[in-house]
Amino acid sequence: MNSYVLKRIFVLIPVLVGMTLIVFSIIHAIPGDPAETILGQKATEQSKEALREQLGLDKPWLQQYFMYVGDLLKGDLGESIRTKVPIAKEITPYLAATLELTFTAMLFALIIGINAGILSAWKQNSWFDYAAMLLALIGISMPIFWLGLMEQWLFSIKLHWLPSIGRMDQRNPLETQTGLYVLDAIIQGKWDQLWIVIKHLILPSIALGTIPMAVIARMTRSSMLEVMKSDYIRTARSKGLPQFLVVYKHALKNAFIPVLTVVGLQTGSLLGGAVLTETIFAWPGVGRYLYDAISYRDYPVIQTGILIIAFIFVVINLIVDLLYAAIDRRIKYR
Amino acid sequence: MNKSTGKLLSLMLGMTLLLSACGGGSSNNASGGSDNAGASDQPSSSASAPSESTQDTLILGRGGDSVSLDGSIVTDGESLKIVHQVFDSLLEYKEGTTEVEPALAEKWEISADGLTYTFTLRQGVKFHDGTDFNADAVVFNFNRWSDPNSEYKFEGDSFDYYDSMFGPDGARVIKNVTAKDDHTVVFTLNQPQAPFLQNLAMTCFGIASPAAIKEKKENFKNEPVGTGPFVFKEWKRNDSITLEKNPNYWKEGLPKLNKVIVRSIPDNSARFNALQNGEIDLMEDVNPDDLTLLEANTSLQKIERPPFNVAYIGFNTKKKPFDDPKVRVALNYAVNKQGLIDAFFAGQAKPAVNPMPPTLWGYNDQIQDYTYDLDKAKQLLSDAGYPDGLPGEYTFYAMPVSRPYMPDGKKVAEAIQADFAKIGVKVNIESPEWATYLDDTKAGEKDDLYMLGWTGDNGDPDNFIYTLLDKDAIPGNNRGFYVNENLHNILVEAQKEIDQNKRSDLYKQAQTIIHDDAPWIPLVYTTPILAAKANLKGFIPNPTGTEYYSSVYFE
C-alpha cells in the first residue's frame, strides 16, 4: 500500500515537469518578441530592455527555463503586468472563490447523482428510472448560461428565496480570513452570515453541478447494474440480507470505482470550466480572473493561472488513484 | 482490509444520507411558509425593510470592472466612472449636460489673444489624505502629464488623453502651467484652442493629491486620492469597488449617500435579474429585450441617457475596392437602418446620418441620408465598374462585446451581410476577442470593413470628427485610414477658431465632405437605457456616460 502511494507520487514528477515546460513555452510560442508581447506595442525600447533583463530573456532558453522553475519552487509566481501585484497574492481570493464553488457544486453532483444512479439501478425500468435518466439526459445537454438565468428568474425574482449574484450580501459584508466564506463565517461564529453565504452558493452550485451530476448518475446506474448481476450479490440476497444493505454496502463498493474516475475528471473540468457560471452569477473566481487576463494579455497571469489549474487537476487525479487503492487493495501500480 | 473499506463506504453513505437530509431540510424550510421565505429574502429585505426611507448605500451594477483608478492613464469608460467620484477637475460639466461650470477653479480670465488662462482656485479644499489642494497641486499634475520623462510616469503608463486633447509631445497646446500664488494658476498656450475649457472639464484631468502620488508611486492607480465627493475605500478586482462619503466635500450638503458600491456583473440579463431581486439599486446597459419587463415593473424606473454616441461601419480605405468613394456610397445605400433599429435596438435608437449625434451643436441637419435602396446600390456599383457585384470576399469585423451604442454587433452584422449579398457583395463576419479586435482594426491589415462606435467625451464636435476621421488619428481611432486633406485643413482651422458660430459652420462643411466621401456607413445614435429602483432619486444621466452619484438619494 505505502509503496503504491510512493510510486504514484513519484510518477507525478515528470508530469509536473512537463506542465511547467508547456506553460513556460506559452510566451515563447507566441510569434514576436516576448518583451513586446508582454508590454504591448506602445512600450518604449527602454522598458522592453528592462523587462528582458528582469525576465532573463537575453539568456539561453534552457537557462531561462531553470530560472523560471527556480522561481516557482521559491513560491515566486511572477507579477501581473496590469496591476504590478505579485500573482501569488493576487490570485488567492479568486482561487478560494472558485474552490468553494467547485466543491459545493461537486458535493451537490455527488449526493444527487450517486443516489439517483443507485435508485435507478435498484428499481430498473421503473418510472423513477426512466424519469431520472431522462432528467440526466436533459442535464447533460443543458446550456449552463440558460440554466443559470432560469434559476435566477425562478428562485430569485419569482419566489424571492435566493440571491441571484455574488458571494455575500454587499450591504453587510463578511470579514475574510481564509477566503472560503463558509469557513470564515464558521470560524467567526457568525451563523446568520453563514446562512447568507450558503444561500449565495446554492444557485451557482446547481448550475455548475448539473452536468457532472447527470454524468455521475448515468455512470453509477450502469456500473451498479453490472455489479448487481454478479454472483456475490445473488448470494447476499439469498442469505436474506435487507435489500438496502445489499445495494448500498455490497454493490456500491464495487460499482464505485468507475464512478470515482468520472468524479475526478469532472472535478478537474469544473475548475477550468467555471467561467460561464462565474459570469452569470458575478462570482469573482479564477475563471473570470483568467478570462480578464486574456483580454488584457496579462501573460504572466495566464501562465500562472493555467499552471495552478493544471496542478490542482493533477492532485485530484492523485487523490482519485489513491482512493481506488483504498477501496480495492488489488489495485497496484505497475 | 475489508473492514477498512467497509468503514470508508459506510462513512460515505452516512455522509451522503446526512447531507441529502440536510438538503431536503433546507428546501422544506424554504418552501415551508411565507414567513420563512420572507426571512430568506435577505438581500432585498436588509436593504429596504429595516430603514425604509433612510437607505444610504447605493449598489450599482455595471458590465465590466475598471482598468485603473488613476484617470490620467486610462481611456475606458468603466475606469472613468469611478475616477469621476474620487477626483474633481478644475472645471466640470453641469449635471446632465456638457456645459462647463466652475469646480476646483472658481473663476477664470482669458487673455484677448486666447493664449493665457488665469484660474482662481477654490480655497479650503482638502484632498482625501488631508493635504491641501492648491496651485502647486495643479502645476504638479499638469507637469506629470506633459513631461515625457516625469518620474511620476510609471512603467507602461501613458497619458493618452492628455496627448490627444492637448497635443502630443512636440506639439503641445499648453506651453506651461505656473502657480502665481497659492490659489492662482496661469496656463500659457502655444496656440489658441477653442475647446480648451471643455477639455479641462474632462474626468481624466481630475487633480490628484501630489503627496499621495509621491508616496504610493505605482500603487496610486489602485488607491486613488483626490478631492471628490467620495473617498476610495476598497477594490476587489472583478467584483466590486467601495467608495465612502467624503465628509469634507466642498459642495454644501453633498454627497447624500454614505456609501457607494459598484459591482461588476458581466451579463446584462443577470444584472437585470439582480436588480429585480433587490440586490442592486441601479444598473447600466439594460438589454433591449428586457425593456418590456422593465416598463411593466412598477417597483423599477427606466432612466434614459441622452444619446451622445454613434455606431458605424468603417471601410478600410487602404484596401481595394474600398478606396473608391463610389463603392462606399453604393454600400451606404444597402443598409436598412430602420430595420436594424426595430430588430436589434428595441426602437431605442435613431438612424445615423453624420459622424456625430444631432444633440451636439454644429450638427449639419441639411444632409440627406442615403436611403435604403438596393436597386440604386446595384446601379452605383455598376457605375463604379462592378456590374456583377464586387469580386472576391471581404472580411467584416463585427464587435464581440456589447457596447452602449451596439448591444449585439454580430447579429447586426449578419443582417447587413444578408443585404450586401443581395447586391453581389460577399462578406465574411469575424469577431476576435476585444483586445485583438481593437489591435487588428488599428493595424488595418486583416479587416476590409469593421464595425465600431464612439461615445463623446466632452461636448465638442472636435471630439467626434477630428478624433475619428482626421488623418492625424492614424494609427489610432481613424481605423479606416481615411485621408482627406481638405477635411484636415477645415478641422485644424476649427480647433484654432474661438468664435463658436464660425466653428459650427466649419464642422457643417466637414460633415458635407464626409457625407460625400462616405468613409463610413453611419448606423445609429442610441439612447442607452439604465434601470433603477423606483425610490432612487437625484440620478441625472450625463450624455458622456459619466455622472456623479453625489446627489443620488433614496426616498
Side-chain angles (χ1 to χ4, degrees):
Chain A
M1 177 71 189
N2 281 338
S3 70
Y4 168 73
V5 173
L6 283 179
K7 275 183 200 159
R8 185 61 188 77
I9 291 174
F10 191 69
V11 171
L12 273 187
I13 293 171
V15 175
L16 292 175
V17 170
M19 258 164 44
T20 55
L21 264 174
I22 292 170
V23 168
F24 173 76
S25 311
I26 289 180
I27 283 190
H28 295 263
I30 299 165
D33 174 11
E36 189 173 305
T37 309
I38 291 174
L39 292 176
Q41 292 162 341
K42 271 191 296 186
T44 59
E45 204 46 54
Q46 213 177 351
S47 56
K48 279 192 264 185
E49 198 51 55
L51 185 79
R52 275 190 209 109
E53 203 161 305
Q54 188 196 332
L55 296 180
L57 289 171
D58 41 356
K59 304 208 169 59
W61 192 87
L62 203 65
Q63 195 181 342
Q64 285 182 48
Y65 173 71
F66 281 117
M67 278 168 53
Y68 175 69
V69 174
D71 284 344
L72 285 183
L73 290 176
K74 279 184 279 178
D76 178 3
L77 301 178
E79 202 177 67
S80 159
I81 291 167
R82 189 153 66 107
T83 62
K84 308 280 194 298
V85 177
I87 298 166
K89 183 178 157 209
E90 198 176 61
I91 205 170
T92 323
Y94 299 105
L95 203 58
T98 295
L99 285 180
E100 189 166 71
L101 176 61
T102 310
F103 181 77
T104 323
M106 215 51 218
L107 203 64
F108 160 77
L110 275 173
I111 292 167
I112 310 281
I114 290 182
N115 284 308
I118 291 173
L119 292 178
S120 291
W122 186 356
K123 311 275 185 199
Q124 195 191 357
N125 298 331
S126 68
W127 67 267
F128 179 86
D129 183 21
Y130 291 131
M133 286 307 113
L134 182 69
L135 281 178
L137 194 69
I138 295 173
I140 286 176
S141 32
M142 183 101 71
I144 293 185
F145 233 88
W146 187 81
L147 177 63
L149 287 173
M150 284 305 111
E151 280 178 9
Q152 288 179 345
W153 176 78
L154 181 62
F155 294 104
S156 302
I157 299 170
K158 288 293 154 196
L159 299 171
H160 285 292
W161 287 351
L162 296 167
S164 65
I165 49 156
R167 298 179 69 193
M168 188 60 213
D169 181 0
Q170 296 268 351
R171 297 175 214 269
N172 177 18
L174 179 74
E175 269 184 49
T176 57
Q177 293 155 326
T178 62
L180 300 168
Y181 284 12
V182 172
L183 209 60
D184 283 334
I186 292 173
I187 292 171
Q188 295 168 26
K190 294 187 174 158
W191 308 116
D192 51 333
Q193 293 209 319
L194 176 65
W195 179 225
I196 296 174
V197 169
I198 290 175
K199 280 198 303 191
H200 277 84
L201 269 167
I202 294 175
L203 294 185
S205 304
I206 293 176
L208 188 60
T210 294
I211 290 176
M213 176 193 74
V215 173
I216 290 169
R218 286 161 59 112
M219 194 69 210
T220 310
R221 178 178 178 273
S222 61
S223 181
M224 282 293 282
L225 283 177
E226 196 72 27
V227 173
M228 297 276 268
K229 282 190 215 129
S230 59
D231 291 342
Y232 82 98
I233 295 293
R234 207 177 305 139
T235 316
R237 274 187 176 148
S238 62
K239 280 198 302 189
L241 266 181
Q243 182 78 334
F244 180 82
L245 271 187
V246 173
V247 172
Y248 271 90
K249 194 175 171 199
H250 295 268
L252 182 58
K253 184 181 127 191
N254 280 328
F256 199 64
I257 289 180
V259 177
L260 199 56
T261 316
V262 170
V263 172
L265 288 174
Q266 290 287 328
T267 313
S269 63
L270 280 194
L271 268 179
V275 182
L276 286 184
T277 318
E278 288 175 0
T279 303
I280 289 288
F281 292 97
W283 195 270
V286 137
R288 270 181 65 203
Y289 177 64
L290 264 183
Y291 180 82
D292 223 43
I294 292 169
S295 316
Y296 287 103
R297 310 208 175 150
D298 200 337
Y299 287 103
V301 171
I302 301 171
Q303 271 189 328
T304 309
I306 293 174
L307 191 69
I308 288 178
I309 288 179
F311 182 73
I312 295 177
F313 195 88
V314 169
V315 170
I316 289 170
N317 270 312
L318 173 70
I319 294 172
V320 167
D321 281 0
L322 295 182
L323 280 177
Y324 282 165
I327 292 173
D328 187 341
R329 295 281 167 102
R330 286 169 305 180
I331 293 176
K332 289 211 174 62
Y333 196 85
R334 276 187 294 251
Chain B
M1 177 205 278
N2 260 334
K3 240 184 201 167
S4 65
T5 40
K7 259 185 210 158
L8 180 75
L9 276 175
S10 45
L11 185 74
M12 285 182 62
L13 172 68
M15 270 182 60
T16 307
L17 289 177
L18 184 76
L19 284 164
S20 47
C22 283
S26 66
S27 73
N28 276 344
N29 266 345
S31 57
S34 54
D35 49 342
N36 255 333
S40 67
D41 187 15
Q42 203 77 34
S44 50
S45 63
S46 70
S48 47
S51 45
E52 206 74 63
S53 56
T54 57
Q55 181 183 339
D56 59 0
T57 299
L58 168 76
I59 301 190
L60 169 83
R62 58 172 180 171
D65 199 6
S66 296
V67 174
S68 158
L69 300 183
D70 178 354
S72 58
I73 60 171
V74 294
T75 53
D76 68 303
E78 297 308 339
S79 295
L80 291 171
K81 272 173 200 162
I82 305 295
V83 169
H84 198 56
Q85 315 306 321
V86 179
F87 297 89
D88 290 308
S89 301
L90 289 179
L91 308 168
E92 65 186 26
Y93 302 119
K94 190 176 166 192
E95 283 200 289
T97 72
T98 52
E99 203 178 299
V100 171
E101 278 195 338
L104 288 177
E106 272 180 324
K107 53 182 192 205
W108 53 90
E109 276 169 26
I110 308 171
S111 66
D113 58 4
L115 290 176
T116 313
Y117 286 69
T118 308
F119 291 92
T120 308
L121 305 181
R122 196 171 295 276
Q123 295 185 44
V125 177
K126 285 197 184 300
F127 288 108
H128 299 156
D129 59 3
T131 56
D132 285 327
F133 163 76
N134 54 27
D136 288 336
V138 176
V139 172
F140 175 90
N141 276 275
F142 276 87
N143 286 348
R144 174 178 178 230
W145 301 328
S146 68
D147 177 6
N149 301 316
S150 167
E151 59 175 312
Y152 303 109
K153 176 179 176 179
F154 305 109
E155 194 189 310
D157 291 352
S158 54
F159 301 113
D160 290 347
Y161 258 129
Y162 188 88
D163 290 353
S164 116
M165 308 318 291
F166 299 123
D169 192 29
R172 299 275 196 220
V173 169
I174 301 175
K175 191 173 173 186
N176 61 51
V177 184
T178 50
K180 198 169 147 196
D181 58 50
D182 219 22
H183 44 270
T184 311
V185 176
V186 182
F187 284 69
T188 312
L189 309 191
N190 283 318
Q191 68 201 52
Q193 185 186 43
F196 184 68
L197 294 175
Q198 207 74 37
N199 290 347
L200 277 188
M202 288 169 67
T203 307
C204 51
F205 303 126
I207 305 298
S209 156
I213 292 182
K214 286 174 186 163
E215 184 208 322
K216 294 172 194 275
K217 301 217 164 62
E218 281 195 291
N219 207 26
F220 184 80
K221 64 179 88 161
N222 299 322
E223 295 167 10
V225 179
T227 58
F230 291 97
V231 180
F232 170 78
K233 189 77 204 309
E234 191 189 10
W235 185 5
K236 291 186 194 154
R237 278 190 184 264
N238 285 328
D239 186 35
S240 60
I241 293 175
T242 306
L243 306 170
E244 280 176 357
K245 178 179 184 159
N246 174 5
N248 305 316
Y249 191 49
W250 52 270
K251 276 190 196 166
E252 207 60 45
L254 295 180
K256 294 182 178 168
L257 294 164
N258 235 337
K259 204 180 199 184
V260 175
I261 300 168
V262 183
R263 303 189 63 169
S264 20
I265 304 166
D267 188 71
N268 287 3
S269 304
R271 197 169 340 117
F272 187 58
N273 283 344
L275 178 72
Q276 287 175 285
N277 197 30
E279 290 165 80
I280 58 175
D281 306 309
L282 172 67
M283 72 168 277
E284 297 186 328
D285 301 328
V286 177
N287 263 352
D289 298 341
D290 291 332
L291 268 182
T292 36
L293 270 177
L294 168 62
E295 280 161 357
N297 190 333
T298 51
S299 61
L300 299 179
Q301 57 174 315
K302 173 176 148 187
I303 300 173
E304 292 189 355
R305 181 173 280 151
F308 200 56
N309 54 38
V310 60
Y312 60 88
I313 293 170
F315 296 105
N316 186 344
T317 60
K318 276 205 295 197
K319 293 196 178 175
K320 277 190 181 308
F322 303 112
D323 54 343
D324 182 354
K326 284 184 202 147
V327 171
R328 303 197 295 252
V329 170
L331 290 179
N332 259 281
Y333 276 104
V335 174
N336 182 359
K337 296 175 192 176
Q338 194 55 51
L340 296 174
I341 291 168
D342 296 339
F344 305 112
F345 294 83
Q348 295 288 341
K350 291 201 165 62
V353 181
N354 287 321
M356 61 187 236
T359 42
L360 191 54
W361 60 268
Y363 180 82
N364 190 338
D365 51 13
Q366 301 297 310
I367 291 176
Q368 288 295 311
D369 196 12
Y370 301 112
T371 46
Y372 175 56
D373 186 341
L374 292 177
D375 291 332
K376 183 145 192 192
K378 255 185 190 163
Q379 180 61 47
L380 287 172
L381 271 186
S382 173
D383 292 351
Y386 303 99
D388 307 318
L390 295 180
E393 295 179 6
Y394 304 94
T395 304
F396 181 6
Y397 265 39
M399 300 184 321
V401 291
S402 151
R403 312 298 301 160
Y405 45 78
M406 181 58 67
D408 194 335
K410 275 188 242 178
K411 278 191 193 156
V412 170
E414 280 163 18
I416 294 171
Q417 183 186 38
D419 268 338
F420 279 177
K422 288 179 199 155
I423 58 163
V425 177
K426 191 161 172 17
V427 294
N428 299 315
I429 297 169
E430 281 186 29
S431 294
E433 53 85 25
W434 191 222
T436 310
Y437 187 98
L438 293 177
D439 278 358
D440 281 359
T441 49
K442 197 172 179 179
E445 301 299 333
K446 293 185 183 157
D447 61 306
D448 300 301
L449 300 105
Y450 65 98
M451 181 188 284
L452 218 65
W454 184 259
T455 299
D457 294 305
N458 60 18
D460 201 284
D462 184 69
N463 181 245
F464 277 89
I465 302 185
Y466 177 80
T467 307
L468 301 174
L469 286 162
D470 191 81
K471 67 169 188 172
D472 287 352
I474 303 171
N477 288 314
N478 183 347
R479 290 155 200 264
F481 303 89
Y482 165 63
V483 179
N484 183 316
E485 292 297 338
N486 191 9
L487 176 73
H488 174 71
N489 294 337
I490 290 177
L491 292 178
V492 172
E493 192 186 335
Q495 284 178 335
K496 293 181 182 160
E497 177 59 59
I498 295 189
D499 181 344
Q500 183 162 331
N501 287 329
K502 287 185 190 159
R503 293 189 69 210
S504 182
D505 286 342
L506 289 170
Y507 286 117
K508 283 179 182 168
Q509 284 178 39
Q511 287 164 73
T512 307
I513 296 173
I514 293 164
H515 179 76
D516 296 342
D517 266 353
W520 288 0
I521 304 171
L523 291 177
V524 291
Y525 311 119
T526 66
T527 303
I529 304 294
L530 293 82
K533 281 185 181 161
N535 65 343
L536 179 140
K537 305 281 163 181
F539 179 85
I540 303 164
N542 194 287
T544 60
T546 307
E547 42 270 312
Y548 284 122
Y549 308 137
S550 50
S551 35
V552 174
Y553 63 98
F554 290 90
E555 239 176 27

